[in-house]
Every structure is written in C-alpha cells, then in structure tokens.
C-alpha cells in the first residue's frame, strides 16, 4: 500500500502571550486582555515553526479581539507560515476584550471543515474537524480544547467518540487538560479506533514540563514517528510535533 508522510503540529499558543513562570500569570495578567506585550514577534516565531509542517492544530488562537489588536491570529499564522488553507472556530469571548478559538492550518485542501460545539457544564468548548478524503477511509483531523473539570471532559470525549468511533484514519489533537491515564481517556480508547501514544511527552508548563496534557492521538490505520515537544514561542504549553504515515487512499 502506498503512503504519504505528513508532518503534524498541535500547539496551544496562548494568544501569543508570554509566560516564563507561574509568577507571569499574575505579573503579566494584563497581556491576556491588552494588545501590548510583543505578541506579533511571538506569532512570527510560531509561524516559522508551523511552516515546517503540513497540518497544524491551534488552541487559544485569538480570532480578533482587543488583546490581539483585532488580528485574526489563525489567518495571520496561515499567511506567515505559507498555508493555503485555514479555518477557525471561535469559542469563548469576554466582551470585545478577549476571545479564543481552535484553528486549522493546512497545506492540503480539506474536502470539508465542520464546527462541533462540545457539551459541558460551562459552554464555550468546541471541536474543529476537517476531512481530507472521501468515504469511510478519509483522513479526519479533529482539533479540540477540553475542559478543566473531569465530568465535562468525560461528556466531551463521549461526544467526540461518537463522531470518530469507527474511523481508522482519524487524528484527534489538542489541549486535553488531562493525562492519558485518566478514566475518561480510557473510555475514548475503548469506544474509538484511536490508540494511546507510544510514550509520554510532557508539555506543561513549558518552562519546566511535568504534565503530558497535550496530545496527538491517531487511529489504528495510521503510523507515527518522531514525536517531540517544541517551544511555541513563549506560550505556557510546549507544542507537539510528529510525522504521520497516511495511506494514499485516505487522501483521495
């Protein structure tokens, strides 16, 4: 079977803000609502990293509010990183001051992109899903940012499992806010063809990674290699990068 090798990246970019230690959550809290703080140079660094990949999933990409200088950060990264195709899913908005979105950057043209709001005790979480082929064998790329609470995460993962349950060429990536060994994650693996990762790659906090809460999970019809964590400028999360071996039939 002929295959194509793609490079994937999953990055929580913290809207281009800089966090170099827990003290910055307080000392630099203004950067989460104001456009200052050299966000543009951070975005340029993220674009340079993203541009070495074929498909990128973004979390906490500002779709255009006060803190980003009313810049759609997903669009900006697409332009700077050399991506012909991009889409975003705005989720949480705090007036016109701050907003957050899931984003997709791709050098391959998706056949369709669908927004799915996710259930949860507090609204504002979503999954962005792109299809890159036809039929049941198509490559599906799903980008999600899950809740902090275990109960909400469980309902969100159950919803996602219904959408991905029998797809051998599905990829689910993003900030899960939990480790692989959590019960809700084990339920996801039982109810889909997604596979647990081969190893643990800590991504949070970026300055001293101790928790593996960002993941790229792939279906049993796909193979991965070279998974590693890399800085996403000065975000509080490291990004995850890997190579994905995809059957040609999944992209037709």
């Amino acid at each position: 079977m002929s295959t194509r090798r793609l490079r994937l990246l999953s990055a929580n970019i913290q809207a281009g803000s800089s966090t170099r230690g827990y003290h910055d959550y307080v000392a630099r809290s203004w950067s989460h609502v104001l456009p200052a703080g050299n966000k543009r140079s951070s975005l340029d660094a993220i674009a340079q990293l993203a541009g070495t990949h074929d498909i990128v999933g973004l979390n906490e990409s500002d779709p255009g509010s006060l803190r980003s200088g009313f810049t759609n950060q997903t669009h900006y990264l697409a332009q700077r990183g050399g991506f012909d195709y991009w889409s975003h899913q705005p989720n949480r908005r705090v007036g016109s001051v701050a907003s957050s979105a899931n984003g997709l950057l791709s050098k391959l043209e998706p056949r369709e992109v669908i927004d799915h709001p996710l259930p949860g005790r507090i609204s504002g979480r979503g999954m962005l899903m792109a299809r890159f082929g036809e039929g049941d064998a198509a490559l599906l790329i799903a980008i999600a940012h899950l809740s902090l609470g275990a109960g909400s995460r469980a309902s969100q993962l159950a919803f996602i499992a219904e959408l991905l349950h029998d797809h051998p060429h599905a990829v689910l990536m993003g900030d899960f806010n939990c480790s692989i060994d959590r019960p809700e994650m084990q339920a996801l693996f039982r109810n889909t063809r997604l596979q647990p990762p081969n190893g643990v790659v800590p991504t949070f906090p970026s300055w001293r990674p101790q928790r593996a809460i960002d993941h790229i999970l792939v279906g049993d019809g796909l193979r991965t290699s070279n998974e590693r964590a890399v800085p996403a400028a000065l975000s509080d999360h490291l990004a995850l990068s890997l190579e994905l071996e995809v059957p040609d039939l999944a992209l037709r």
Side-chain angles (χ1 to χ4, degrees):
M1 181 188 300
S2 58
T3 63
R4 179 170 176 180
R5 188 173 294 273
L6 301 176
R7 295 196 71 200
L8 270 57
L9 182 76
S10 179
N12 181 326
I13 66 170
Q14 203 185 15
S17 293
S18 169
T19 305
R20 290 163 289 189
Y22 286 113
H23 61 280
D24 275 352
Y25 286 119
V26 176
R28 296 179 58 84
S29 59
W30 52 268
S31 71
H32 297 282
V33 295
L34 295 175
N38 211 18
K39 292 186 175 72
R40 188 60 58 91
S41 64
S42 291
L43 291 177
D44 288 342
I46 294 167
Q48 186 173 10
L49 169 65
T52 62
H53 295 76
D54 299 294
I55 299 174
V56 178
L58 302 172
N59 300 130
E60 294 191 23
S61 179
D62 195 297
S65 65
L66 176 64
R67 70 171 171 177
S68 65
F70 302 100
T71 296
N72 184 318
Q73 293 180 337
T74 304
H75 184 209
Y76 182 86
L77 291 172
Q79 289 183 314
R80 299 288 287 180
F83 293 90
D84 290 332
Y85 308 100
W86 68 278
S87 185
H88 73 149
Q89 180 192 39
N91 293 313
R92 293 194 167 182
R93 178 173 291 277
V94 182
S96 62
V97 173
S99 188
S100 188
N102 294 323
L104 167 73
L105 310 175
S106 181
K107 294 177 181 176
L108 288 69
E109 182 176 8
R111 298 295 180 94
E112 65 175 345
V113 180
I114 304 172
D115 291 356
H116 290 285
L118 292 177
R121 188 174 60 84
I122 301 173
S123 62
R125 300 283 182 174
M127 182 180 78
L128 186 64
M129 187 166 71
R131 181 186 298 271
F132 289 89
E134 294 291 347
D136 294 339
L139 174 66
L140 297 180
I141 301 288
I143 302 157
H145 189 181
L146 304 184
S147 292
L148 293 168
S152 291
R153 276 199 311 272
S155 62
Q156 290 161 2
L157 288 168
F159 177 86
I160 291 170
E162 289 185 17
L163 295 174
L164 304 181
H165 75 284
D166 200 32
H167 287 280
H169 303 138
V171 176
L172 176 62
M173 66 168 82
D175 178 358
F176 288 57
N177 273 312
C178 71
S179 59
I180 287 294
D181 59 1
R182 291 287 306 171
E184 59 269 28
M185 293 296 293
Q186 298 307 304
L188 175 73
F189 297 130
R190 286 195 303 270
N191 295 316
T192 68
R193 296 175 69 170
L194 296 171
Q195 302 296 298
N198 294 324
V200 175
V201 182
T203 56
F204 183 86
S206 58
W207 56 91
R208 190 179 296 168
Q210 296 175 327
R211 300 178 60 204
I213 61 174
D214 300 270
H215 307 292
I216 303 178
L217 308 177
V218 307
D220 55 12
L222 302 167
R223 297 293 178 267
T224 65
S225 60
N226 298 327
E227 184 172 19
R228 60 195 179 96
V230 291
L234 294 174
S235 170
D236 57 350
H237 289 247
L238 295 177
L240 276 181
S241 171
L242 60 72
E243 294 183 11
L244 185 71
E245 193 171 316
V246 183
D248 284 342
L249 62 86
L251 298 171
R252 293 176 188 154

